Amino acid sequence: MRVPDLTAETRDWLRSPENFQTVRVDAETGTLAWGDARPFSASLVYWRVEKYRVKATVRRKDGTVLSSVLLGGRGEVWSKGLTLGRDRTNTVVVDQEGVAPVHARVTVGGGHHPCYFIEVVEGLTSAGGTSASTPGERLRVPARQPLLLEVGPCVVEIE
């Protein structure tokens, strides 16, 4: 299925908060519906919001899932980057012994050859077969597949 395009008319419509006051779930179809005409189908909402979310899953090394979180769209997540650690203010909370309050920061860059850049804040962090523990040290991992980070006793998968 192709991602719907955002036309100028659609972008203008989406910029007006009052257009969303009539949003409801249609009882018959179970999908989003509006009380007025709109210049796009409900599939655009799915593709532009849900399909591009970033999922982060925290597991113990034995595979037990500890938590999973869906983050905002890819552009939103990677424009600011994300933080991992025990502190509740992190983007991905890894509340386990051996994990620092802010353990690592992850951003994406690299232009035509996108990469994850993992900056160590505190503690041992491993990704892409490389480990680092010096604050400020950066690991670079090609973004061809989900990122697997070892943070203390856990593995964090970022899709």
Side-chain angles (χ1 to χ4, degrees), residues 134-149:
T134 305
E137 191 171 354
R138 288 174 52 138
L139 305 173
R140 181 181 175 147
V141 178
R144 286 183 227 125
Q145 55 196 17
L147 176 63
L148 295 175
L149 288 167

Side-chain angles (χ1 to χ4, degrees), residues 7-47:
T7 64
E9 180 185 16
T10 301
R11 282 193 300 277
D12 288 343
W13 194 94
L14 291 169
R15 286 188 185 112
S16 299
E18 61 274 5
N19 288 331
F20 291 91
Q21 293 175 352
T22 62
V23 171
R24 68 186 188 294
V25 175
D26 186 289
E28 207 172 291
T29 63
T31 62
L32 291 176
W34 279 258
D36 59 347
R38 66 189 182 295
F40 60 90
S41 70
S43 66
L44 178 118
V45 174
Y46 172 79
W47 280 103

Side-chain angles (χ1 to χ4, degrees), residues 115-129:
C115 291
Y116 296 105
F117 295 99
I118 301 98
E119 179 187 348
V120 174
V121 176
E122 181 181 348
L124 179 65
T125 303
S126 300

